[in-house]
Structure formats: structure tokens, C-alpha cells
């Protein structure tokens, strides 16, 4: 490809993804998050490059499961028939070329929000004219507990405090607990407003 530096020791591979359970759009989302699948036309540099791509994919796919609300899922990536730990320890990858890479995902149950608590962590937040109500920030008990909702809520809380004159507002503590017995995600956020700004 023009403008792209040549890859040293390009290693061809084939990659496949299988998802056991979950809606069809989950497989689409996971496929879109996988560099092994989406970057297949850009060959990695040698075995180390392929293994590094697989390790990165593992983290990306687990993160995508969280975004979709699956907190008890498992991701298994095998490179040349070896799991990632074995592949990292192997002196070289066995078997044919292109190297076969298989990704299997068991998403587990879909989690919903359980207990939601947003509490002030300092006197300024306590006295700020802001109601720390989870529902008003999109965190509603019983709804799908995707991680993007939590991040959006945090950004909105901080933005509201800044708009109210607290430029140093921040989320001082985030506690997220997945209850695997009930498939609920409990969220506890502590909010520090910091020093209020005054017009000079």
C-alpha cells in the first residue's frame, strides 16, 4: 500500500470468530472490535507481531463485552492451536502457514444495573445545587448495564458541576461490583466538587 512502511518479516494468518449465545448484533460488535479480523490485510511482523495483535485483541474483546453489558463472559484466542499463554512461551509457532487463529467468545448472561449510588465526597459537592440522582444521568436499576452508560454519566455529572462553578470537579471514587449470582451490576460513584470559582 502506497505511503505505508514495508512490514519486516510479514506473517500470513487466517482468523475466525465464533460466539456462543447473545444476539446477532453482539457478534457484529465483537467482529468490528477485533484487529485480528479487521486488520487481516495488514500482515503482522513475524510471530511476535501476530501474538502481540492477539494479546491486544483479547483486551479489546473483553472491553467490548463490558460495553455491551456482559461482565461474566470469556474470550479464548488460540494461535496455531496454542492458547495465548502457551504461544507467548513457545520458542516458535508450530504448524502450517498461514497461521490459524481462532477466537471463541462465550458472552455469559447480560447484566442489568442493580444498586446505584452517587454521593458527594466533599463539602462543596454536598452544598452544590445538584441532585446526584442516578436515573437523571442514565443509570437506571433494571436496565442493561453497559459500561458506556457509566462513563457518560460520569462525564455529565462533572460537566454539571463545572457549569455550576466548580472547575475542579471530578469523580473521586468509582466502585463497580458485578454480582454473578443475580447478574446485576452495582455502581457507586463519589463526586468531589473541589474549590468553587469566583469572579475576580
Amino acid at each position: 500500500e502506497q505511503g505505508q512502511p514495508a512490514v519486516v518479516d510479514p506473517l500470513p494468518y487466517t482468523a475466525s470468530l465464533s460466539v456462543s449465545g447473545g444476539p446477532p448484533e453482539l457478534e457484529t460488535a465483537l467482529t468490528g472490535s477485533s484487529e485480528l479480523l479487521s486488520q487481516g490485510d495488514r500482515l503482522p511482523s513475524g510471530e511476535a507481531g501476530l501474538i502481540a495483535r492477539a494479546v491486544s485483541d483479547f483486551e479489546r474483546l473483553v472491553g467490548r463485552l463490558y460495553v455491551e453489558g456482559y461482565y461474566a463472559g470469556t474470550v479464548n484466542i488460540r494461535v496455531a492451536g496454542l492458547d495465548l499463554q502457551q504461544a507467548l512461551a513457545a520458542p516458535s509457532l508450530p504448524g502450517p502457514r498461514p497461521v490459524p487463529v481462532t477466537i471463541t467468545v462465550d458472552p455469559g448472561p447480560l447484566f442489568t444495573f442493580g444498586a446505584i449510588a452517587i454521593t458527594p465526597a466533599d463539602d462543596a459537592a454536598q452544598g452544590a445545587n445538584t441532585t446526584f440522582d442516578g436515573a437523571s444521568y442514565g443509570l437506571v436499576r433494571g436496565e442493561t448495564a453497559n459500561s458506556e452508560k457509566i462513563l457518560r454519566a460520569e462525564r455529565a455529572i462533572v460537566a454539571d458541576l463545572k457549569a455550576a462553578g466548580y472547575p475542579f470537579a471530578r469523580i473521586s471514587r468509582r466502585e463497580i461490583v458485578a454480582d454473578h449470582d443475580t447478574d446485576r451490576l452495582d455502581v457507586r460513584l463519589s463526586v468531589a466538587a473541589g474549590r468553587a470559582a469566583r469572579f475576580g
Side-chain angles (χ1 to χ4, degrees):
E1 191 176 325
Q2 222 171 14
Q4 292 285 339
V7 174
V8 178
D9 187 25
L11 180 64
Y13 71 93
T14 60
S16 64
L17 169 74
S18 65
V19 182
S20 60
E25 52 268 29
L26 176 61
E27 183 168 348
T28 302
L30 291 168
T31 298
S33 298
S34 167
E35 288 186 345
L36 285 165
L37 295 168
S38 64
Q39 304 285 328
D41 56 342
R42 293 179 58 241
L43 297 181
S45 178
E47 295 182 354
L50 177 58
I51 293 169
R53 190 176 288 186
V55 170
S56 172
D57 245 27
F58 177 85
E59 295 171 356
R60 291 167 69 89
L61 291 169
V62 169
R64 188 72 219 185
L65 286 173
Y66 289 177
V67 167
E68 300 296 331
Y70 297 89
Y71 293 84
T74 58
V75 175
N76 185 274
I77 301 177
R78 299 185 74 82
V79 181
L82 306 174
D83 66 35
L84 279 181
Q85 289 301 321
Q86 292 172 321
L88 284 164
S92 65
L93 296 175
R97 301 295 186 264
V99 177
V101 180
T102 58
I103 307 165
T104 56
V105 179
D106 178 358
L110 182 65
F111 275 62
T112 55
F113 285 120
I116 305 292
I118 305 172
T119 56
D122 58 12
D123 291 341
Q126 183 82 45
N129 190 23
T130 301
T131 302
F132 296 121
D133 172 48
S136 65
Y137 289 104
L139 304 179
V140 180
R141 186 181 184 94
E143 289 191 357
T144 300
N146 77 52
S147 62
E148 284 292 332
K149 290 179 182 176
I150 301 169
L151 295 175
R152 278 199 301 270
E154 290 181 0
R155 287 193 293 266
I157 292 165
V158 169
D160 283 354
L161 282 168
K162 287 183 176 181
Y166 297 90
F168 307 108
R170 63 189 174 87
I171 301 298
S172 60
R173 182 183 173 95
R174 176 198 297 129
E175 187 179 340
I176 298 172
V177 179
D179 186 333
H180 295 273
D181 291 330
T182 61
D183 302 335
R184 295 278 181 148
L185 193 77
D186 296 335
V187 179
R188 298 180 186 89
L189 303 177
S190 294
V191 185
R195 190 163 44 86
R198 295 284 182 266
F199 286 114

